[in-house]
Amino acid sequence: MQTGSIGTAVVIGGGPAGLMAAEVLAAGGARVAVYDRMPSPARKFLMAGRGGLNLTHSEDLSRFLTRYGASEEQLRPMIDALPPDAVRRWCEELGQQTFVGSSGRVFPQVMKASPLLRAWIARLTAAGVSFHMRHNWRGWDDDGALLMEGPSGPQAIKADATILALGGASWPRLGSTGDWIAPLENTGTEVAPLLPANCGFLAEWSDVFKSRCEGKPLKRIAVTFNAETVRGEALITARGIEGGAIYALSTDIRHHILAKGSALLWLDLRPDITMDDLAARLAKPRGKQSLATFLRKAAALSPVEISLLHECASRPLSELDAQELAELIKQLPLRLTGVAPLATAISSAGGVKWGEVDAHLMLKRKPGVFIAGEMLDWEAPTGGYLLQACFATGAWAAHGALDWLQQRNANPTSQRAT
């Protein structure tokens, strides 16, 4: 590897955090090489783009930061340094205009990731960043060199600074497998267990319900757990339930299930109608209509919602009066019995504990090695918050690495290469 004006930097992980780190490093004068296990960079980024590529969110920054929960304090300076407006400008500099959707979420106008990624890779390549695909990182050798396994076999690569941005462990087929944990733990670094975030949950559906309703959406519902209510949509799966309204509550639901073994959700299938209004509609004579037809017409319930009422009710629906039916529709209990597997989650919770990195995201036990993206111990709901923090931590770690390189050049005998 050739030496740039201030030194060499290796970025391991070609996702949003790693690519943002590479961009900042190259702009700062480092010679940058990006290594990734996949055949091409940012596979998960491209997958996210299939749903429109929710880059960030337009809400007030003070409210925005609360979305990171227990990690708000740690992430605040990083997002302050690269806030949502800066991410939008960055996107537009790459030729992709953005817009704010009705929910406040920010998207590229083309509603996909591939044009943005192509422009980004082209700009990085023009800045001198080299890309090395199909390379797996295995840790360090006794001399501190990075151990890589690539198409040509094992390699030991020396770098003046390293940024690890290998992601969490959701969607492992796209490159994030979590196999970086062992090499870090071998250094004594503490890693919080990787857990599903923005994930689905398990429910004990009957075979009849499962066969009829798997893959069917619940639209415009409200979901309540622990006194917090979220409006949105959900999706019935063969094993349980997932979707935006569920993801928004998934942190608390996951904690509860891991502690107690199960969790009870309350679904409001008709959140735009009051209980009294709904009861009045259901009190009208049914005549010769079947119960399903009556519920569809009087309460505007879909077939999957009617099936869900049958599935979750403690008594047959035909035995309920109008008030009881209204209460069931507005307060439908759904017991969740487990958390869906991490591999199926949108993102991961857990990672390198904040106490293991300094203010620049450098590992305290491995000077010159910086951590970015989902490898750090934070989580956030969908809505642009995930990508925003990946971009911000990638840029922050890169600025930390540039400072490290500058200090190293100023006093080369005081610090060793990594």
Side-chain angles (χ1 to χ4, degrees):
M1 185 185 295
Q2 297 178 355
T3 303
S5 59
I6 64 170
T8 60
V10 164
V11 177
I12 304 179
L19 296 182
M20 185 60 76
E23 182 165 355
V24 172
L25 286 165
R31 180 73 171 180
V32 185
V34 175
Y35 290 81
D36 193 276
R37 70 168 69 242
M38 302 301 288
S40 60
R43 288 293 183 92
K44 193 174 178 182
F45 184 72
L46 287 172
M47 176 65 78
R50 293 185 180 182
L53 192 62
N54 185 191
L55 288 166
T56 186
H57 202 286
S58 63
E59 69 186 348
D60 179 78
L61 190 58
S62 61
R63 174 61 176 159
F64 187 104
L65 288 165
T66 65
R67 307 297 188 176
Y68 297 99
S71 295
E72 177 183 352
E73 180 180 352
Q74 290 86 356
L75 290 170
R76 178 182 297 276
M78 305 171 204
I79 294 174
D80 280 341
L82 187 70
D85 285 348
V87 169
R88 296 188 68 182
R89 289 194 299 272
W90 165 83
C91 186
E92 289 163 4
E93 288 169 1
L94 285 168
Q96 300 301 312
Q97 298 301 306
T98 62
F99 73 96
V100 179
S102 58
S103 64
R105 301 181 180 198
V106 176
F107 302 89
Q109 285 187 349
V110 294
M111 292 293 288
K112 54 186 178 179
S114 51
L116 176 61
L117 182 60
R118 284 196 298 268
W120 196 5
I121 297 298
R123 185 159 78 179
L124 290 171
T125 303
V129 176
S130 61
F131 289 87
H132 308 267
M133 299 293 103
R134 295 187 173 90
H135 281 75
N136 294 318
W137 176 65
R138 298 306 186 199
W140 296 270
D141 67 13
D142 293 340
D143 295 324
L146 297 160
L147 295 175
M148 306 293 298
E149 291 182 5
S152 60
Q155 296 174 272
I157 299 169
K158 281 284 189 179
D160 300 320
T162 301
I163 292 181
L164 300 179
L166 290 101
S170 61
W171 288 89
R173 67 185 179 83
L174 299 179
S176 298
T177 63
D179 60 1
W180 49 265
I181 293 176
L184 288 185
E185 289 185 334
N186 288 340
T187 71
T189 298
E190 289 191 62
V191 179
L194 297 181
L195 299 171
N198 293 296
C199 57
F201 294 92
L202 309 182
E204 295 179 349
W205 301 135
S206 66
D207 290 339
V208 171
F209 178 79
K210 188 189 306 182
S211 65
R212 290 178 177 174
C213 298
E214 179 185 355
K216 301 292 180 62
L218 301 170
K219 297 184 177 181
R220 297 181 296 279
I221 65 171
V223 183
T224 299
F225 181 72
N226 280 354
E228 182 177 358
T229 299
V230 173
R231 287 199 181 201
E233 297 189 356
L235 182 74
I236 301 296
T237 69
R239 294 177 293 183
I241 190 168
E242 61 181 40
I246 303 299
Y247 300 153
L249 298 168
S250 61
T251 299
D252 288 343
I253 297 172
R254 183 189 70 231
H255 287 323
H256 193 89
I257 289 176
L258 294 178
K260 305 292 186 179
S262 66
L264 186 63
L265 297 189
W266 298 94
L267 308 185
D268 184 347
L269 303 180
R270 299 293 280 118
D272 295 321
I273 299 177
T274 66
M275 184 84 75
D276 289 343
D277 187 13
L278 184 58
R281 296 186 186 192
L282 294 170
K284 294 178 181 179
R286 177 154 54 108
K288 296 182 178 181
Q289 298 179 92
S290 67
L291 179 57
T293 299
F294 178 68
L295 290 173
R296 178 174 57 83
K297 292 183 176 180
L301 294 176
S302 67
V304 65
E305 290 168 335
I306 295 169
S307 294
L308 189 62
L309 291 176
H310 284 289
E311 183 75 5
C312 297
S314 60
R315 294 161 52 201
L317 299 188
S318 58
E319 296 181 3
L320 304 182
D321 62 26
Q323 184 62 39
E324 290 171 325
L325 271 175
E327 290 174 357
L328 185 65
I329 292 167
K330 296 286 290 180
Q331 297 175 349
L332 180 67
L334 174 59
R335 183 161 297 279
L336 304 178
T337 58
V339 184
L342 174 55
T344 66
I346 290 178
S347 58
S348 301
V352 175
K353 294 185 177 182
W354 289 107
E356 297 291 336
V357 294
D358 67 11
H360 303 286
L361 296 182
M362 185 170 73
L363 282 174
K364 295 176 180 178
R365 300 175 190 271
K366 288 292 290 184
V369 177
F370 299 78
I371 308 295
E374 280 195 76
M375 286 183 68
L376 292 161
D377 184 13
W378 61 273
E379 63 179 301
T382 58
Y385 310 105
L386 294 167
L387 273 178
Q388 175 67 50
C390 286
F391 291 138
T393 56
W396 189 266
H399 284 298
L402 290 172
D403 289 344
W404 162 267
L405 292 171
Q406 290 165 354
Q407 293 171 15
R408 185 175 181 278
N409 289 337
N411 189 5
T413 60
S414 66
Q415 303 177 57
R416 62 180 178 84
T418 63

